[in-house]
């Protein structure tokens, strides 16, 4: 079974399984196809966290394909540039592009296919083109002025003939196809073995021609970014050569016979577990799925968990045992009352004193993504067009986004399972590197330029990313791989889905189809880091009486269109049966199996 956010990726993964590949081969091939099928949501210059179950090893592992901050990326350096936030676009926000390394590590350690075989689909689609999604066309339209006036290398890639590609037409990226063809050629000339070729490909990416082109572009070019100023990049060849992806143990929490597995606190994944730790003290079964009590309780638990994310998470020592302890959560649970909270309330695990960042003043930021009523913080230039909402993203004319990402899940006949959330390096991140056909990511915007915080910028650290694939065991056996795009919403929509399956007694597709909700109460992870205290988004399919009751309890409910929130996909292993489901919203996600 394969389920993903785009039908071409799902079909690609299924084709690999039908030709003898395993789940890891299929996920890698599908992941690369997502780079050309959903280029507004991910690209080769981005990153990928992966959770996987190896049937041979009988364990869950985390692959961290999340790159780190450059050695020159310090708070002092940004302060010298007059910045108090890392820009949301452009070269300054680039981390080491970790997706390629993450995919290659999984392929080498657990996969069976060769580099040439897993890259053949993406080379085909990049060379011959893919049907342009309406959202891709809308995204390019929103940044057309930026590309034409400033980022001319991106215009050459994404504005064929100077025009925005219309939805349904075919768009190719022959330069990217050539990059991947060269990787295969260099790998095959370097070694006759599968493992040797994969190592050669990694070397070509992080120490060879790809790294050289990235380093030269960062050092020798400068571009206007969302600060309104022109900046070059900080990423060097040494930064790329020094980085390696890692394999880590998952962080877990047991909930009602299920063990949920997430990445460590260098991602936001543990916030899923914190929500479960709070919710296990409530009788959700008695509340009824999507009733007022259910939505209120789940939302208030999210507010508390995400407040802890703000105060405690980062690529550093995090007091996770305290954050997930029964004592801590019993104390925190008492904060969930009958009325909606309008405060950001981090806890004090183990008696430690929480410290929150100093957030931008909303009064100075009218209209910026993630803020009520606002504009960009210091330095953001005047947009040439208004913000464009593509469904999963809000995109400004300077390329600034709120929300992002794609997702793929795979389970094979052997019992191996994968949940992966590739993201970053989307087409509007930064200018296209002309020799490579892709741009760098902007994940460094999630660092804080304030000293002493868990997520403070420091050289060699991973940003506290929103990317959050999910995996669950049931009674100790591998059961469910799932996830969604959506930035800060990922670990709200995924929790909603999981609770619907566990408590709502729905099947996978019913849980995905159910009306979604999320809060914007806590600060956004994306530039310029705003929040909307008390705001609760619900799809209009939620009962009107429930909405009225939520408003009575103090929630600032904003009604969203039907089928507009969430882009979940999932695969499951239920005894001898394999199952899959995908998001119908946008008529784009796809689940397939046989």
């Amino acid at each position: 079974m394969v389920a993903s956010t785009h039908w071409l990726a799902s079909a690609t993964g299924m084709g690999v399984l039908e030709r003898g590949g395993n789940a890891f081969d299929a996920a890698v091939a599908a992941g690369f196809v997502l780079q050309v099928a959903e280029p507004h949501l991910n690209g080769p210059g981005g990153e990928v966290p992966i959770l996987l179950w190896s049937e041979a090893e009988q364990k869950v592992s985390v692959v961290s394909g999340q790159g780190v901050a450059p050695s020159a990326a310090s708070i002092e350096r940004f302060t010298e540039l007059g910045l108090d936030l890392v820009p949301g676009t452009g070269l300054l926000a680039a981390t080491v592009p970790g997706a390629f390394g993450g995919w290659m590590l999984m392929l080498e350690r657990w996969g069976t296919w060769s580099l040439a075989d897993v890259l053949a689909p993406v080379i085909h689609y990049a060379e011959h083109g893919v049907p342009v999604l309406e959202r891709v066309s809308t995204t390019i339209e929103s940044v057309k002025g930026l590309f034409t006036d400033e980022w001319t290398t991106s215009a050459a890639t994404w504005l064929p003939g100077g025009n925005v590609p219309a939805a349904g037409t075919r768009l190719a990226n022959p330069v990217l196809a050539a990059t991947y063809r060269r990787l295969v050629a260099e790998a095959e000339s370097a070694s006759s073995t599968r493992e040797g070729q994969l190592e050669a490909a990694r070397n070509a990416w992080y120490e060879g021609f790809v790294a050289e082109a990235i380093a030269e572009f960062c050092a020798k070019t400068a571009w206007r970014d969302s600060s309104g100023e022109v900046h070059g990049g900080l990423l060097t060849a040494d930064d790329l050569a020094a980085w390696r992806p890692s394999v880590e143990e998952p962080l877990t929490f047991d909930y009602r016979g299920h063990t949920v597995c997430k990445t460590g606190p260098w991602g936001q994944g543990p916030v899923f577990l914190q929500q479960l730790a709070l919710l296990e003290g409530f009788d959700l079964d008695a509340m009824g799925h999507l009733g007022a009590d259910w939505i209120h309780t789940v939302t208030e638990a999210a507010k508390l968990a995400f407040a802890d994310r703000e105060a405690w998470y980062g690529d550093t020592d995090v007091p996770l045992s305290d954050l997930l302890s029964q004592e801590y959560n019993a104390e925190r649970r008492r904060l969930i009352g009958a009325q909606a909270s309008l405060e950001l309330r981090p806890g004090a695990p183990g008696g430690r004193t929480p410290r929150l960042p100093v957030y931008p003043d909303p009064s100075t930021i009218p209209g910026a993504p993630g803020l009520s009523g606002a504009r960009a913080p210091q330095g953001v230039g005047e947009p040439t067009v208004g913000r464009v909402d593509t469904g999963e993203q809000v995109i400004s004319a300077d390329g600034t986004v709120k929300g992002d990402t794609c997702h793929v899940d795979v389970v094979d006949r052997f019992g191996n399972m994968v949940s992966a959330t590739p993201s970053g390096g989307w087409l509007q991140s930064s200018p296209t590197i002309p020799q490579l056909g892709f741009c760098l990511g902007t994940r460094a915007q999630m660092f804080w330029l304030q000293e002493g915080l868990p997520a403070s910028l420091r050289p060699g650290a991973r940003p506290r990313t929103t990317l959050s694939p999910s995996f669950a065991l049931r009674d100790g056996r591998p059961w469910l791989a799932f996830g969604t795009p959506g930035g800060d919403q990922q670990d709200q929509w995924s929790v909603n889905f999981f609770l619907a399956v566990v408590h709502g007694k729905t099947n996978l597709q019913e849980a995905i189809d159910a009306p979604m909700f999320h809060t914007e109460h806590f600060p956004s992870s994306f530039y310029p880091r705003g929040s909307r205290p008390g705001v609760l988004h619900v799809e209009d399919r939620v009962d009107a009486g429930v909405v009225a009751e939520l408003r009575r309890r103090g929630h600032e409910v904003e009604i969203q269109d039907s089928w507009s929130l969430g882009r979940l996909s999932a695969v499951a292993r239920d005894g001898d049966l394999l199952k899959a489901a995908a998001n119908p919203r946008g008529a784009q996600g796809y689940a397939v199996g046989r």
Side-chain angles (χ1 to χ4, degrees):
M1 295 281 180
V2 185
S4 82
T5 49
H6 196 285
W7 70 88
L8 286 179
S10 298
T12 296
M14 195 65 219
V16 172
L17 296 178
E18 289 180 328
R19 287 177 287 157
N22 65 19
F24 312 113
D25 304 318
V28 173
F32 277 98
V33 166
L34 285 171
Q35 295 173 2
V36 295
E38 294 190 287
H40 62 315
L41 301 176
N42 80 134
E47 47 273 327
V48 61
I50 306 168
L51 272 73
L52 62 90
W53 169 270
S54 165
E55 188 67 11
E57 297 175 352
Q58 289 290 295
K59 63 178 294 189
V60 178
S61 296
V62 175
V63 175
S64 174
Q66 174 59 62
V68 299
S71 58
S74 65
I75 293 175
E76 293 77 14
R77 177 69 175 131
F78 279 82
T79 300
E80 290 170 0
L81 295 171
L83 299 170
D84 55 16
L85 289 173
V86 178
T89 63
L91 299 181
L92 278 179
T95 56
V96 173
F100 187 82
W103 289 126
M104 290 300 102
L105 176 58
M106 182 170 72
L107 182 63
E108 180 180 19
R109 181 162 169 175
W110 292 282
T112 64
W113 273 31
S114 69
L115 177 74
D117 286 340
V118 297
L119 290 186
V122 69
I123 291 172
H124 170 84
Y125 286 122
E127 195 165 62
H128 297 284
V130 296
V132 175
L133 298 169
E134 182 177 353
R135 290 170 176 173
V136 172
S137 180
T138 301
T139 298
I140 297 173
E141 177 65 45
S142 72
V143 290
K144 178 182 179 182
L146 175 67
F147 285 5
T148 301
D149 300 337
E150 302 279 353
W151 296 2
T152 52
T153 58
S154 295
T157 303
W158 302 107
L159 295 171
N163 300 312
V164 174
T169 62
R170 193 161 57 182
L171 179 64
N173 188 342
V175 178
L176 178 59
T179 296
Y180 283 137
R181 282 193 183 280
R182 182 174 174 182
L183 276 173
V184 171
E186 290 196 7
E188 290 181 339
S189 66
S191 176
S192 60
T193 68
R194 190 183 82 93
E195 292 74 15
Q197 290 172 6
L198 294 175
E199 179 64 25
R202 278 197 299 270
N203 290 340
W205 190 276
Y206 292 103
E207 301 179 47
F209 79 94
V210 175
E212 291 168 2
I214 291 172
E216 181 179 27
F217 194 73
C218 287
K220 296 185 178 180
T221 70
W223 308 84
R224 194 172 307 280
D225 58 37
S226 59
S227 74
E229 302 298 325
V230 174
H231 297 114
L234 302 176
L235 203 57
T236 68
D238 288 342
D239 292 321
L240 277 86
W243 181 80
R244 291 291 183 275
S246 59
V247 177
E248 304 172 3
E249 295 297 315
L251 189 65
T252 65
F253 185 81
D254 292 332
Y255 182 84
R256 310 282 176 108
H258 305 83
T259 301
V260 180
C261 306
K262 301 293 288 189
T263 71
W266 52 266
Q268 74 174 9
V271 81
F272 188 118
L273 309 183
Q274 283 197 252
Q275 290 172 86
L276 295 184
L278 289 164
L279 291 169
E280 71 173 352
F282 294 95
D283 189 354
L284 292 180
D285 292 319
M287 293 180 186
H289 184 223
L290 295 180
D293 288 341
W294 175 294
I295 295 177
H296 171 78
T297 303
V298 172
T299 299
E300 294 304 297
K303 291 177 182 179
L304 293 174
F306 277 90
D308 277 347
R309 182 195 74 170
E310 291 299 293
W312 298 109
Y313 288 19
D315 191 13
T316 186
D317 292 331
V318 177
L320 291 168
S321 59
D322 288 322
L323 288 168
L324 292 172
S325 69
Q326 289 186 1
E327 297 78 13
Y328 177 75
N329 284 282
E331 176 186 349
R332 296 282 279 165
R333 199 176 295 123
R334 287 194 288 270
L335 296 176
I336 299 177
Q339 291 297 114
S341 170
L342 300 181
E343 301 175 79
L344 188 66
R345 299 180 290 179
R352 301 168 182 86
T353 301
R355 182 185 169 197
L356 291 170
V358 178
Y359 299 105
D361 180 0
S363 67
T364 66
I365 317 178
L371 289 122
S372 275
R375 156 191 91 69
Q378 55 113 12
V380 171
E382 290 299 318
T384 54
V385 297
R387 289 164 56 200
V388 176
D389 187 345
T390 70
E392 64 277 353
Q393 291 179 309
V394 177
I395 301 167
S396 298
D398 62 5
T400 302
V401 302
K402 175 195 169 195
D404 64 287
T405 316
C406 41
H407 187 80
V408 59
D409 302 297
V410 186
V411 57
D412 65 23
R413 62 192 181 280
F414 310 111
N416 302 305
M417 299 178 75
V418 177
S419 174
T421 309
S423 184
W426 41 71
L427 66 89
Q428 66 277 16
S429 289
S430 65
T432 299
I433 302 171
Q435 304 98 307
L436 301 176
F438 65 83
C439 62
L440 294 172
T442 54
R443 196 60 61 176
Q445 68 183 287
M446 296 179 174
F447 285 114
W448 286 102
L449 299 181
Q450 301 168 32
E451 297 284 1
L453 300 169
S456 294
L457 175 65
R458 68 181 193 278
R462 289 174 289 190
R464 202 278 300 139
T465 177
T466 55
L467 305 178
S468 196
S470 301
F471 194 91
L473 299 94
R474 185 165 61 188
D475 299 321
R477 296 297 301 157
W479 170 50
L480 183 65
F482 60 106
T484 180
D488 294 297
Q489 281 72 252
Q490 288 182 37
D491 282 303
Q492 296 188 72
W493 293 338
S494 290
V495 166
N496 293 347
F497 163 80
F498 179 78
L499 294 175
V501 174
V502 172
H503 290 281
K505 307 305 180 186
T506 62
N507 64 38
L508 300 184
Q509 193 62 54
E510 289 169 338
I512 290 174
D513 291 353
M516 275 287 165
F517 62 93
H518 70 266
T519 180
E520 289 190 343
H521 176 82
F522 50 85
S524 171
S525 298
F526 293 88
Y527 177 95
R529 315 303 290 264
S531 62
R532 306 182 67 203
V535 170
L536 175 62
H537 293 269
V538 300
E539 288 187 356
D540 64 10
R541 295 180 292 138
V542 171
D543 182 82
V546 169
V547 171
E549 174 61 18
L550 291 169
R551 286 176 170 150
R552 190 191 67 78
R553 298 186 188 191
H555 296 278
E556 186 180 334
V557 180
E558 294 188 358
I559 304 298
Q560 304 300 315
D561 292 341
S562 296
W563 305 99
S564 63
L565 302 180
R567 291 182 66 213
L568 280 143
S569 61
V571 298
R573 181 181 173 185
D574 187 3
D576 293 333
L577 292 176
L578 303 182
K579 301 178 179 180
N583 175 50
R585 298 162 177 86
Q588 183 180 319
Y590 192 64
V592 60
R594 72 170 180 86

